Amino acid sequence: MTHKEDHPSVMAADQHHDANHQEAAKKEKSQLSALFTVIFSGFALLSDGYQVGVLSLVNVAFTKQYGERFTSAMATRIGNSLFVGCILGQIGFGYICDRVGRKVGLMLTTLLVIVGAALCAGAYGAGGSIEGMFWALTVYRGILGVGVGGEYPCSSASASEAADVVMPGRRGMLFVFVTNFVIDCGFVLSALFPLILGVAGCSYEVIWRTSFAFGVLPPLSVMYFRFKMDNSDIFKKNAMKKNVPYLLIIRRYWKYLLGTGGSWFFYNFISYPFGIFAGTIINQAIGSEATFVQTAQWMLLLNVFYLPGSISGALASDKLGRKRTMALGFFSQGVLGILMGVFYRRLLDIFPLFVVLYGIFMMMGEFGPGDMLGLVSAEIYPTAIRGTAYGWSAAIGKFGAFVGTTVFKPAIESFGRGDQITGQGRVFMLASGLALLGSLFTYILIPDYSKKGLHEEDEDFRRYLDANGYDLSNFGFDPADKKVDSDMVDVDAKFGDEKMEMRA
């Protein structure tokens, strides 16, 4: 007699239940993996924001310790070396994370940030030469910059792909919180940590060396987790390891590239010099008797304004949409900056008000372009070129930072004709004019993909390439994935044949 459990229909039901259970478990594991990818893709960016921001107070420490030996030209050179490295890293690692893999790119950039930050902390000139030490710092900051620059396309590509799995309807908010918000937290730490050292009575050399060294900790803390990460499923399916049709890509996306790259140029031209030289501006505004701790306290207050800007931008990104949020941020920053420039001298007489308005000026930059540029660049391009296109856009942006920091002090001298206050006020107005231009660029050139899934652009991209005679068999990162797909097709065919036989 046959047991009930041995009946074919019961066995089939059990097998179906097991298959559903395995599928649910696989889906849950995939979502958990995506969540960890989002978190650990972005966390090392804390060090990137920190290492960029800390130079502001390090410059103050250098000025107080070395006086005239720390020249304006050397300050600019050290600042720009990071940006040159960033440009190389963004272009190079944008290519690597698309062609070799997100995981490989993340591992390499993490190592470079750790090594670069450690070298900066231990910078030394031959024979104790101060000038030699500054030149060593220039080289080391360049190495650090390659890692920092590479973090942007690698982390952002991974984070956007994972965020689309974790929170499909709120991808923008999640992405901003694990990227730009983390970077802004790094900026806050870049003022808080040197302030703590200053309050503790540390010497200027201990302050700047320890401040550089602190930047090693965030990337070091995520090294293991990044090693355990894997490339996303959407990347494995849509990557192109060979025969990338760059001419077809540029023909399709040139307008978007002009929009993201141009807007990023304007944003970084404003944000980086006004951030890096904020300590110098505040130090001058307080007066010659300003202590390092006083300057650091005001810098901390200024940097804290980044956070509400970043948070509000994250919340607005999915509701207002990327395009509107970015244009609004640019426009608000431009209007406020022009007013500050016009009344600059009077504002300095009410110094706390000046710092608050300075903070709001920077905050509006974070609310709009600061939050949206990375998000837009990580979602309007298809998976196959996401890192590359992001890297190109961000590199143009970092070139804007390079130009901005290079011309910042000369522009103050030229506009003011010897009057620092007049020069600084007019530089505010120049930057604000560029912010208004950035708002126009955003409105005309950048699409709004707030409600569009990443896979939709992948499908449109494939259809475009197919229509232009491209061999779609070049898609797919791992040959093993193609074998699995082939096996699934064989299995489906086999079951299809059996069903036909049963019907017969």
Side-chain angles (χ1 to χ4, degrees):
M1 186 173 179
T2 305
H3 292 287
K4 185 177 180 182
E5 290 81 359
D6 294 334
H7 193 279
S9 62
V10 175
M11 293 177 64
D14 289 342
Q15 290 174 354
H16 181 69
H17 175 75
D18 290 342
N20 287 341
H21 180 73
Q22 291 175 1
E23 185 65 27
K26 183 179 178 181
K27 184 177 180 180
E28 183 179 353
K29 183 179 179 182
S30 176
Q31 289 183 325
L32 185 63
S33 175
L35 178 61
F36 278 109
T37 298
V38 170
I39 294 171
F40 294 115
S41 289
F43 187 74
L45 291 171
L46 182 77
S47 181
D48 300 352
Y50 176 87
Q51 289 291 0
V52 172
V54 79
L55 193 59
S56 185
L57 284 175
V58 165
N59 282 341
V60 175
F62 283 158
T63 300
K64 292 185 176 295
Q65 181 178 358
Y66 300 110
E68 293 182 357
R69 288 181 292 178
F70 181 59
T71 64
S72 176
M74 186 58 75
T76 301
R77 193 176 295 125
I78 291 173
N80 280 343
S81 64
L82 182 82
F83 300 135
V84 173
C86 279
I87 292 170
L88 296 175
Q90 285 163 341
I91 295 173
F93 279 98
Y95 176 86
I96 288 171
C97 79
D98 279 343
R99 300 294 292 276
V100 182
R102 313 300 197 217
K103 179 177 178 177
V104 172
L106 287 169
M107 291 294 295
L108 291 175
T109 57
T110 305
L111 283 172
L112 281 171
V113 172
I114 292 170
V115 171
L119 287 172
C120 288
Y124 178 77
S129 166
I130 301 302
E131 185 178 359
M133 182 192 71
F134 287 140
W135 275 109
L137 264 175
T138 302
V139 174
Y140 300 155
R141 291 280 290 180
I143 295 171
L144 175 66
V146 174
V148 168
E151 277 283 340
Y152 281 78
C154 295
S155 294
S156 297
S158 298
S160 67
E161 290 162 4
D164 211 36
V165 174
V166 177
M167 296 180 69
R170 303 303 302 274
R171 179 180 69 228
M173 181 190 72
L174 181 58
F175 177 89
V176 172
F177 273 124
V178 300
T179 53
N180 199 54
F181 177 73
V182 173
I183 293 172
D184 288 341
C185 288
F187 273 99
V188 173
L189 276 176
S190 73
L192 178 61
F193 190 71
L195 172 60
I196 292 172
L197 296 175
V199 170
C202 298
S203 67
Y204 293 126
E205 183 165 3
V206 169
I207 288 173
W208 71 258
R209 288 190 184 277
T210 308
S211 295
F212 277 140
F214 183 78
V216 172
L217 297 181
L220 191 63
S221 66
V222 300
M223 189 71 178
Y224 171 77
F225 297 99
R226 287 188 164 187
F227 179 74
K228 300 295 288 184
M229 283 168 53
D230 194 10
N231 294 306
S232 66
D233 291 338
I234 193 172
F235 171 74
K236 292 177 182 177
K237 178 182 177 182
N238 292 285
M240 289 187 290
K241 291 192 70 175
K242 60 181 181 178
N243 301 328
V244 180
Y246 288 109
L247 289 177
L248 288 175
I249 289 167
I250 292 172
R251 187 191 304 170
R252 178 174 171 82
Y253 293 106
W254 69 268
K255 183 179 177 181
Y256 293 178
L257 288 167
L258 181 61
T260 53
S263 299
W264 222 327
F265 180 94
F266 298 136
Y267 166 67
N268 281 355
F269 187 97
I270 301 166
S271 64
Y272 278 93
F274 277 91
I276 289 174
F277 295 115
T280 303
I281 291 174
I282 289 174
N283 195 53
Q284 290 174 346
I286 296 174
S288 58
E289 300 301 318
T291 65
F292 179 85
V293 171
Q294 286 176 318
T295 304
Q297 286 172 336
W298 287 111
M299 273 297 301
L300 177 60
L301 174 61
L302 183 63
N303 286 356
V304 165
F305 278 93
Y306 285 125
L307 300 183
S310 184
I311 292 170
S312 57
L315 297 176
S317 64
D318 294 311
K319 294 183 178 180
L320 284 181
R322 304 6 172 181
K323 185 171 184 172
R324 290 179 181 176
T325 303
M326 193 158 109
L328 178 61
F330 261 136
F331 183 78
S332 302
Q333 187 180 39
V335 171
L336 176 60
I338 288 173
L339 292 174
M340 287 184 68
V342 170
F343 298 104
Y344 193 81
R345 192 177 295 274
R346 295 181 186 179
L347 287 173
L348 290 181
D349 293 334
I350 316 172
F351 187 69
L353 177 61
F354 167 73
V355 174
V356 169
L357 290 176
Y358 197 149
I360 295 174
F361 174 79
M362 302 299 283
M363 181 182 78
M364 296 315 299
E366 291 308 291
F367 166 79
D371 277 358
M372 296 302 106
L373 276 166
L375 174 58
V376 167
S377 299
E379 66 183 9
I380 67 174
Y381 302 110
T383 302
I385 60 161
R386 179 165 293 121
T388 302
Y390 188 106
W392 289 347
S393 302
I396 295 171
K398 278 298 182 289
F399 182 66
F402 174 85
V403 174
T405 53
T406 300
V407 305
F408 191 78
K409 286 192 172 184
I412 291 174
E413 295 292 335
S414 176
F415 291 157
R417 297 180 180 177
D419 185 339
Q420 288 282 315
I421 294 177
T422 300
Q424 289 173 6
R426 290 175 178 173
V427 164
F428 259 97
M429 288 189 278
L430 170 65
S432 300
L434 290 177
L436 295 177
L437 189 58
S439 181
L440 187 63
F441 254 61
T442 301
Y443 184 77
I444 295 174
L445 298 172
I446 290 182
D448 196 339
Y449 280 15
S450 304
K451 306 301 181 183
K452 190 173 182 179
L454 299 184
H455 67 280
E456 295 179 58
E457 184 59 33
D458 288 334
E459 292 166 3
D460 291 343
F461 182 54
R462 285 189 184 231
R463 282 193 289 268
Y464 164 74
L465 293 182
D466 187 42
N468 283 275
Y470 180 75
D471 183 3
L472 297 184
S473 67
N474 287 315
F475 279 96
F477 178 72
D478 189 347
D481 295 333
K482 292 184 178 181
K483 183 178 184 303
V484 170
D485 292 340
S486 176
D487 290 344
M488 290 300 293
V489 171
D490 291 342
V491 170
D492 289 342
K494 179 180 177 182
F495 279 106
D497 291 341
E498 291 179 355
K499 290 176 182 178
M500 290 295 289
E501 290 174 5
M502 290 174 67
R503 287 175 184 174

